[in-house]
Amino acid sequence: MVSKVPLTQVSAISQQVCLITGASRTLGAEISRRMAAEGAKVAVNYHQSAEAAQALCQEQAAAGSSLVPIQADVSQPDQAQRLVDQTWEQLGPIDILVNNVGPYVDTPFLEMPVDDFDRILAGNIRATFLMTQAAGRKMKERGRGVIINIAATDIFHRSHSVYGLAKSGVIHLTEAFALELAPEVRVNALAPDLIADNEGMDPAFVAKSIAGTPAGRLVTRAEVAAMVALLCTPAFDIVTGQTIAMDGGRRLPRINFG
């Protein structure tokens, strides 16, 4: 299923090469579908989910799109570089990089094993750094490119453990790389809140989240994927180093004057 959210000047994405990390499942798969639907040539990165990556590519082949699955652990320098090189060789110069991979855990810091701490930071901050460095160098040399990092509204909270810390690091990298890669390459981030179509969520928690959201609902994967595509169009050529929160206003402070 592909979002029906309309985009401005989205035809500019057609035939561009898009590399998406962690792209075989959930939000990454939805972003892959969206970019393919807009005519991009998509490299679907996966680490261990080979079956899911193949299924996604087969699904999209039936829809008339061609996606290429490429295995790599993007938290490892040699594999991140191989992924960029392999995408370049198989599909052509990379126009768009979406750093979507980002493992999650919310164990309290006082109870967290150090291995979990290291894994979450590596899968978010280190992976974003390695992929942006590898792809960004080539983009800057070529004279153009767009990089979108997937963060989360956990960056605004101090009760979301190492995941919030990791996504805060992703925002720092977004802003730093936007400076280093300018003017040839634009670097932005999206920070979705709780996503409506995530599986296995506690219904009571979902209801409470919706009640606290001014928009009266949660963001969907399709909406995040549509915003990724939109940020890659000329309509956003002046926008770089920014983080766009997709939370329906949930993080806004409220003052009761009653």
Side-chain angles (χ1 to χ4, degrees), residues 161-180:
S161 186
V162 69
Y163 186 70
L165 173 63
K167 289 305 188 183
S168 295
V170 169
I171 300 307
H172 186 105
L173 286 173
T174 298
E175 296 172 359
F177 272 118
L179 291 173
E180 290 193 28

Side-chain angles (χ1 to χ4, degrees), residues 40-61:
K41 296 182 283 186
V42 181
V44 174
N45 162 248
Y46 68 95
H47 180 200
Q48 297 176 319
S49 304
E51 186 175 331
Q54 291 292 345
L56 174 63
C57 292
Q58 290 170 8
E59 165 204 303
Q60 288 301 294

Side-chain angles (χ1 to χ4, degrees), residues 79-148:
Q79 295 189 49
Q81 185 64 59
R82 173 178 59 77
L83 174 59
V84 169
D85 293 342
Q86 201 168 335
T87 300
W88 212 277
E89 292 166 4
Q90 294 189 32
L91 296 178
I94 298 171
D95 299 290
I96 300 164
L97 167 66
V98 182
N99 285 310
N100 169 72
V101 72
Y104 173 85
V105 73
D106 64 354
T107 308
F109 282 118
L110 290 177
E111 302 170 14
M112 182 179 299
V114 69
D115 287 349
D116 280 356
F117 184 87
D118 290 343
R119 177 175 62 86
I120 300 305
L121 292 185
N124 286 277
I125 299 177
R126 180 177 162 111
T128 299
F129 158 67
L130 291 172
M131 288 302 302
T132 304
Q133 184 185 61
R137 284 170 173 162
K138 286 178 171 284
M139 288 177 171
K140 191 168 179 65
E141 289 173 2
R142 186 172 173 235
R144 64 188 178 93
V146 177
I147 298 172
I148 309 294

Side-chain angles (χ1 to χ4, degrees), residues 22-44:
S24 63
R25 298 181 295 111
T26 59
L27 178 57
E30 189 67 21
I31 296 171
S32 298
R33 293 185 184 99
R34 183 73 201 210
M35 300 304 279
E38 300 302 335
K41 296 182 283 186
V42 181
V44 174

